[in-house]
């Protein structure tokens, strides 16, 4: 009833009502839990969205119609607020889809005069699994295929949809417009799936984790910075439900021997190194000779205070954490024994604050 009253209260700004009626994201909900079950979170949140769409149907339809912005597109604050509330109403209506709500989404997609309304309608159709969603996606791509940022949005919209599983992402990676060599394109599909689609990324069969490891390896060879960002999709693996942790350990293996007090874990095939669980939070990832390394924090600060260097052996590489003048910094120097690539001998400064 509180949501009903707020939705219908015309004394409140549309932009305020839109923000107040938003549900917390699945990631935000997970952050509040000690043990995270992504499927349970997704199921519960979708139930609430559908319930709002069904119970507040009359009010949502009224606000959808009342907040239309006919005429030429205007970026003023009032119009932005109206579009936001209208599109939120559409998303709730399509969360409990019937012929009328799907028709509203399809009509908005067909008649929209701006990208905000066009993209919102397309997203509502995709998430509602509307019969015309596939055709709408193709039409959207055909119209904007020359606009790189819009194509990124097109990939991201599909990657984030809870109906998009690993198999569907692999099919999208075969699209002529996709390439891992383009950082924005890689983020819009691969990273968007791993970060913004928790229900499929954390699939019970572990396929999402295997896909993640593959892509970290592939991106590492092309763009280490993008790979290091993608690696962080597994930051919270120790908080997943026991069944998911069991699958995680297929990709996350005990790390190499470490001299000194540093506590590192290795994400096996992806060669990603995560700081030990006694370091919370861990903020920094760097790449050194195709290995993504997370700063271990306290141990390295202590080593810097003693003016010691911590050596980490990684295969044929030796990572040397050298002390800096400030105790909250360490310099990572990667020396490749027997190879000697100059790029792997560069120093990278880490801020552990």
């Amino acid at each position: 009833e509180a949501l009903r009253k707020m939705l219908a209260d015309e004394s409140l700004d549309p932009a305020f009502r839109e923000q107040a009626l938003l549900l917390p994201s699945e990631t935000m909900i997970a952050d509040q839990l000690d043990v995270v079950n992504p499927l349970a979170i997704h199921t519960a949140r979708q139930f609430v969205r559908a319930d709002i769409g069904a119970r507040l149907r009359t009010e949502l339809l009224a606000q959808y119609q009342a907040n239309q912005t006919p005429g030429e597109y205007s970026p003023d604050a009032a119009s932005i607020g109206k579009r936001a509330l209208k599109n939120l109403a559409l998303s709730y209506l399509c969360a409990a889809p019937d012929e009328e709500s799907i028709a509203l989404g399809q009509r908005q997609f067909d008649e929209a005069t701006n990208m905000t309304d066009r993209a919102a309608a397309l997203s509502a159709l995709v998430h509602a699994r509307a019969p015309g969603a596939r055709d709408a996606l193709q039409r959207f791509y055909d119209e904007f295929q020359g606009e790189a940022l819009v194509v990124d949005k097109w990939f991201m919209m599909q990657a984030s949809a809870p109906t998009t599983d690993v198999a569907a992402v692999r099919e999208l990676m075969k699209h002529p417009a996709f390439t891992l060599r383009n950082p924005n394109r890689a983020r819009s599909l691969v990273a968007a799936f791993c970060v913004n689609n928790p229900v499929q990324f954390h699939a019970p069969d572990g396929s999402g984790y295997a896909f993640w490891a593959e892509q970290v390896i592939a991106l590492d060879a092309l763009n280490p910075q993008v790979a290091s960002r993608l690696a962080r999709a597994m930051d919270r693996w120790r908080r997943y439900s026991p069944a998911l942790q069991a699958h995680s350990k297929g990709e996350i293996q005990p790390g190499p021997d470490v001299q000194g007090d540093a506590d590192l874990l290795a994400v096996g095939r992806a060669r990603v190194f995560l700081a030990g669980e006694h370091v919370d939070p861990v903020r920094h990832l760097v790449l050194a000779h195709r290995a993504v390394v997370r700063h271990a924090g306290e141990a390295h600060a202590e080593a810097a205070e003693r003016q010691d260097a911590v050596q980490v052996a990684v295969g044929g590489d030796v990572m040397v954490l050298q002390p800096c003048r400030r105790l909250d910094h360490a310099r990572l120097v990667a020396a490749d024994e027997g190879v000697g690539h100059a790029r792997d001998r560069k120093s990278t400064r880490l801020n552990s604050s």
Side-chain angles (χ1 to χ4, degrees):
E1 289 304 312
L3 293 179
R4 190 189 306 275
K5 290 180 180 178
M6 183 177 298
L7 182 62
D9 189 346
E10 297 295 338
S11 68
L12 297 176
D13 188 83
F16 175 83
R17 282 183 281 167
E18 186 265 344
Q19 288 294 307
L21 291 165
L22 283 173
L23 293 180
S25 68
E26 294 177 27
T27 300
M28 185 179 294
I29 295 171
D31 284 341
Q32 311 307 310
L33 303 175
D34 294 327
V35 178
V36 178
N37 184 330
L39 179 58
I41 293 172
H42 173 75
T43 301
R45 187 175 182 276
Q46 288 300 104
F47 174 83
V48 173
R49 292 185 73 246
D51 199 45
I52 291 173
R55 294 193 182 205
L56 303 185
R57 177 180 175 77
T58 300
E59 291 80 3
L60 289 167
L61 284 169
Q63 291 303 317
Y64 180 83
Q65 298 299 340
N67 286 280
Q68 297 292 325
T69 53
E72 187 176 350
Y73 171 80
S74 175
D76 63 277
S79 297
I80 291 173
K82 286 185 175 183
R83 280 191 291 271
L85 182 56
K86 175 191 68 179
N87 289 326
L88 180 66
L90 179 63
S91 72
Y92 277 134
L93 288 167
C94 287
D98 59 10
E99 289 186 6
E100 184 177 7
S101 61
I102 296 300
L104 280 178
Q106 189 67 57
R107 187 180 310 119
Q108 178 170 313
F109 177 79
D110 293 337
E111 300 175 0
T113 59
N114 60 81
M115 182 58 69
T116 299
D117 285 347
R118 179 76 63 86
L122 180 57
S123 178
L125 293 173
V126 170
H127 283 251
R129 307 184 191 187
R134 184 177 295 276
D135 178 64
L137 282 167
Q138 187 60 52
R139 287 169 53 199
F140 188 87
Y141 176 77
D142 290 343
E143 184 173 351
F144 297 106
Q145 59 183 298
E147 301 288 341
L149 294 180
V150 180
V151 175
D152 288 339
K153 192 176 189 71
W154 182 78
F155 277 113
M156 186 177 296
M157 193 181 300
Q158 296 175 82
S160 304
T163 54
T164 301
D165 58 13
V166 170
V169 175
R170 291 189 188 280
E171 284 300 312
L172 283 168
M173 291 178 72
K174 299 175 183 177
H175 193 280
F178 180 79
T179 172
L180 277 178
R181 295 183 179 278
N182 183 318
N184 286 342
R185 201 55 46 86
R187 282 189 286 262
S188 69
L189 180 55
V190 177
F193 173 76
C194 295
V195 176
N196 299 334
N197 193 346
V199 67
Q200 294 292 352
F201 177 60
H202 300 286
D205 62 1
S207 57
Y209 303 154
F211 174 79
W212 163 81
E214 290 175 19
Q215 300 312 313
V216 171
I217 294 171
L219 280 167
D220 185 17
L222 300 171
N223 192 320
Q225 289 183 328
V226 176
S228 69
R229 292 287 185 181
L230 181 60
R232 301 198 66 173
M234 292 290 281
D235 270 359
R236 299 175 179 84
W237 73 276
R238 291 184 180 277
R239 293 175 53 202
Y240 301 155
S241 59
L244 290 177
Q245 282 197 38
H247 283 298
S248 299
K249 289 176 182 177
E251 307 300 330
I252 303 177
Q253 303 295 337
D257 294 334
V258 178
Q259 297 179 14
D261 298 326
D263 182 14
L264 303 178
L265 294 174
V267 179
R269 291 181 296 167
R271 300 174 67 193
V272 178
F273 294 82
L274 304 177
E277 58 184 338
H278 70 282
V279 181
D280 184 28
V282 181
R283 297 183 179 180
H284 303 285
L285 286 169
V286 295
L287 186 96
H289 193 54
R290 304 192 62 196
V292 184
V293 179
R294 177 79 53 81
H295 185 211
E298 296 177 0
H300 298 152
E302 293 172 4
E305 187 174 15
R306 297 193 303 267
Q307 294 298 299
D308 292 336
V310 179
Q311 292 190 3
V312 184
V314 185
D317 302 333
V318 176
M319 313 296 176
V320 183
L321 286 165
Q322 296 182 342
C324 296
R325 292 180 181 177
R326 290 177 57 187
L327 297 184
D328 61 348
H329 285 76
R331 181 175 292 119
L332 181 64
V333 180
D336 181 16
E337 296 181 338
V339 178
H341 293 296
R343 66 181 179 85
D344 295 321
R345 299 184 185 278
K346 293 182 179 179
S347 298
T348 303
R349 185 172 294 276
L350 300 175
N351 185 347
S352 60
S353 59

